[in-house]
Amino acid sequence: MGVSSSPNALNSSLVARAVYAAIRECASTLRPDVLEAIRASWLSSKDAGADSRQTSVLHAIIENALIAERDNVPICQDTGTVWVCLEVGEELSVPGGVFREVNDAVARAYEDGKLRMSVVRDALFDRSNTNNNTPAFCELRIVPGSGALLHVLLKGGGSDNASRVCMLSPDAGASGVAQVVINCVREKAANACPPLVVGVGVGATFDKVAGMSKHALLRPIGSPAQSDEAAAFESELLGTINACGIGPAALGGTPTALAVHLETAPCHIAALPVAVNMGCCAMRSATIDLMKADII
Amino acid sequence: MTSPIKLQLPLAHEELAHLSAGDEVLLSGNIYTMRDAGHKRCMEYLEEHGKLPFNLAGQTLFYAGPTPPAAGRPIGAVGPTTASRMDFATPALMRAGIVATIGKGKRSEEVVRACKETGAVYFAAIGGIAALLAECVHASELIAWEDLGTEALRKLEVVNFPVYVEIDTKGNDLYRNIESES
């Protein structure tokens, strides 16, 4: 059960157990929708007799996923920083210490799983390794209802470094947003391990828009967009990105991106915030329904 | 496409001169992992002593920080990190004797020029396939900087490690070629 004996309180040790299990599983598992999209690209590349560099990179990504799962080896040496988002229904209460327990779970999962410790103490003043991959970067969202969802994303440094936030003038409109996305892909895709999932946030504020672009990465490839308008814009952006010819591993060809996922939001009358968060070909994330998580 | 070119490490300048941007190469022999923190230390040593530490002259650097090995294995998962973060040091390291580097992503104009000037090569490895690449690593030995954890200097013995020539000794650049074609 997702709630403890105290009525309507989220059980923080259940959250921690779910985080631990998700990290151990995600590190050596390519997200199934990403694997499926890579496989489809590989088949069409092979059938088209396309440039063998493109076909062999796609094949290597599939083979890597199989080896990782078989041998329980991480799919990427950058086992990431841990990004955790708790979406909790407003009818539940959340124990204050939940993210402290999450951090304990992260430390144990990275030690037990022999994952890479990739966090330094302070970005500017102390770049010594924390040696347990904490802190996790955590967010709490209160949503309607009585449910509780946990999102865990292991985010690589290369793809996050290839991301950006731009504050456009509202008159820049959709073409301005598209230009930000395309420029980011052209300039940075080679560093972000394509084929990519490109997360795009538009709206909110300078700080929130980056989070929206990260959330967009959680959505499974092929699942419905936020609206028909959003779906049409996503497909237009994907077409333009894949016409760039950067290709798998940036060694030429197609696809450069498997999907573009867009989230939009209200914003200030003077603003048009845009964020692009690159998701690499080793996408590792899980979404767990904590109300059904009694198996953990 | 032709079949991959097999090369034995350490790489000789004469062999490197025959490679062209876009060639697929299988490397066998020893390569050395070095990334951000290691480059900082290597540059400090070079500035103080006028030469590379640990007899690295003539060797190939691999920009990588592996995961710890499981019991009985030489290494965990290992793959390339973004090479441009090492651009600040690469021309100096090439002039001091590094003959090739392995990473992912575009390099600066200075690195392209240094490849041309010193007859060095930059190889691109595929990012996101670290379980597969680890199968090409047959032995791993800690050389120095253990306190840096994953960023320590390690000697990896690789067999048929797959890479692509990204910048050749003539200064041709595969990524820039792909960009200008699109």
Side-chain angles (χ1 to χ4, degrees):
Chain A
M1 267 298 285
V3 288
S4 70
S5 51
S6 157
N8 298 330
L10 191 69
N11 180 336
S12 56
S13 71
L14 173 94
V15 176
R17 287 203 302 281
V19 166
Y20 179 92
I23 292 169
R24 295 296 306 273
E25 169 81 15
C26 283
S28 56
T29 313
L30 182 56
R31 214 170 75 184
D33 58 308
V34 175
L35 178 57
E36 218 28 68
I38 299 270
R39 205 189 301 274
S41 300
W42 171 65
L43 286 172
S44 57
S45 176
K46 198 163 63 99
D47 290 348
D51 165 47
S52 70
R53 213 153 53 204
Q54 164 190 312
T55 312
S56 63
V57 172
L58 292 168
H59 185 256
I61 297 169
I62 297 166
E63 205 184 337
N64 182 67
L66 299 176
I67 292 168
E69 197 176 353
R70 182 194 70 200
D71 296 350
N72 194 27
V73 175
I75 57 172
C76 179
Q77 78 288 344
D78 186 352
T79 48
T81 49
V82 180
W83 180 86
V84 169
C85 175
L86 253 185
E87 276 184 57
V88 183
E90 57 201 4
E91 291 165 30
L92 291 180
S93 68
V94 181
V98 65
F99 290 137
R100 198 172 51 238
E101 289 200 43
V102 164
N103 273 324
D104 290 346
V106 168
R108 278 186 288 111
Y110 274 72
E111 184 63 37
D112 296 351
K114 292 188 176 293
L115 307 181
R116 198 179 84 181
M117 307 306 183
S118 309
V119 178
V120 295
R121 276 170 225 285
D122 185 272
L124 188 56
F125 298 117
D126 183 3
R127 294 195 66 93
S128 62
N129 202 298
T130 63
N131 289 323
N132 62 10
N133 221 52
T134 67
F137 299 93
C138 300
E139 180 188 338
L140 176 63
R141 282 187 171 192
I142 309 296
V143 297
S146 58
L149 280 184
L150 169 73
H151 306 286
V152 177
L153 173 68
L154 309 189
K155 194 68 173 77
S159 57
D160 244 29
N161 278 348
S163 305
R164 63 179 57 158
V165 173
C166 290
M167 301 302 281
L168 299 181
S169 168
D171 69 278
S175 66
V177 172
Q179 204 56 55
V180 169
V181 177
I182 303 311
N183 288 349
C184 187
V185 168
R186 281 188 181 277
E187 289 161 29
K188 297 291 182 183
N191 296 351
C193 297
L196 310 164
V197 176
V198 181
V200 180
V202 181
T205 53
F206 175 75
D207 57 313
K208 301 288 186 216
V209 72
M212 286 160 58
S213 67
K214 182 148 283 178
H215 269 271
L217 298 178
L218 300 172
R219 204 178 97 208
I221 297 172
S223 64
Q226 145 188 313
S227 65
D228 289 348
E229 271 175 309
F233 193 47
E234 286 179 355
S235 130
E236 181 192 324
L237 290 172
L238 183 63
T240 316
I241 288 170
N242 282 334
C244 287
I246 295 167
L251 294 171
T254 191
T256 304
L258 303 167
V260 176
H261 287 172
L262 174 72
E263 283 194 14
T264 63
C267 73
H268 192 283
I269 48 174
L272 179 55
V274 183
V276 182
N277 195 199
M278 298 290 195
C280 65
C281 70
M283 184 82 88
R284 290 145 294 171
S285 78
T287 294
I288 298 118
D289 184 342
L290 291 169
M291 308 315 279
K292 294 180 184 159
D294 46 5
I295 42 162
I296 294 165
Chain B
M1 298 253 312
T2 51
S3 56
I5 300 161
K6 292 194 171 195
L7 290 180
Q8 192 68 39
L9 297 142
L11 298 162
H13 281 294
E14 302 74 53
E15 291 174 302
L16 293 175
H18 294 297
L19 297 177
S20 300
D23 285 347
E24 186 181 359
V25 176
L26 297 173
L27 297 173
S28 296
N30 294 327
I31 57 179
Y32 293 80
T33 63
M34 195 190 288
R35 46 173 291 159
D36 309 64
H39 273 74
K40 201 161 163 260
R41 287 199 187 171
C42 196
M43 285 299 284
E44 282 161 9
Y45 185 95
L46 179 60
E47 274 157 29
E48 198 182 331
H49 298 92
K51 60 171 188 171
L52 295 170
F54 311 108
N55 298 314
L56 286 172
Q59 301 297 340
T60 294
L61 297 181
F62 180 22
Y63 305 141
T67 66
R73 297 215 171 187
I75 204 157
V78 68
T81 194
T82 305
S84 62
R85 293 198 315 272
M86 274 40 90
D87 285 356
F88 76 96
T90 303
L93 299 186
M94 284 179 168
R95 282 178 205 117
I98 294 299
V99 297
T101 61
I102 306 168
K104 62 162 170 150
K106 276 178 270 190
R107 309 299 305 260
S108 66
E109 297 282 357
E110 288 76 14
V111 172
V112 177
R113 276 200 296 274
C115 284
K116 212 169 154 180
E117 174 197 317
T118 67
V121 160
Y122 165 50
F123 294 111
I126 302 171
I129 60 161
L132 190 154
L133 291 180
E135 294 205 320
C136 304
V137 179
H138 288 216
S140 166
E141 184 190 337
L142 177 77
I143 301 295
W145 308 329
E146 190 173 10
D147 61 300
L148 295 182
T150 185
E151 299 202 65
L153 179 68
R154 288 183 177 83
K155 180 169 81 177
L156 306 186
E157 187 197 335
V158 297
V159 177
N160 291 332
F161 188 89
V163 292
Y164 295 86
V165 177
E166 160 45 36
I167 301 171
D168 64 26
T169 57
K170 278 94 82 195
N172 298 307
D173 182 331
L174 178 62
Y175 292 141
R176 282 178 176 81
N177 291 347
I178 289 166
E179 268 175 1
S180 61
E181 279 166 19
S182 65

